[in-house]
Amino acid sequence: MKLNQKQKVLRHLKETGSINPLDALKEYSIMRLAAVIYDLKDEGYYIKTDIVKSRNKFGEKVSFAKYTLVL
């Protein structure tokens, strides 16, 4: 069975607990994770968003969203 983007992200959240944009791009080729999360929230799933601060490979400060499914 071929899963759509929402199904892939939801399965990932249920199995691992969280996902971030880099995970989505690497594992599922999803470039607009925020849009998929928005649709899942619209369907009634409670997904928490945390902003993570880190550094990129050049040592520059960056921030990105980490999404967690709340059961």
Side-chain angles (χ1 to χ4, degrees), residues 4-65:
N4 63 33
Q5 289 185 343
K6 285 191 298 186
Q7 292 167 329
K8 290 175 186 176
V9 169
L10 186 58
R11 181 185 65 193
H12 185 97
L13 287 168
K14 287 179 177 179
E15 290 177 356
T16 66
S18 66
I19 193 168
N20 64 53
L22 188 56
D23 293 336
L25 182 60
K26 283 183 179 178
E27 296 184 35
Y28 310 111
S29 298
I30 296 173
M31 296 188 70
R32 297 184 61 234
L33 178 60
V36 176
I37 295 295
Y38 177 87
D39 290 342
L40 287 170
K41 287 180 175 181
D42 194 46
E43 290 180 10
Y45 291 98
Y46 181 50
I47 300 171
K48 186 175 103 172
T49 304
D50 292 310
I51 302 301
V52 179
K53 295 182 187 287
S54 185
R55 292 192 179 265
N56 64 16
K57 66 181 180 179
F58 306 109
E60 302 163 332
K61 293 179 181 179
V62 296
S63 59
F64 57 91

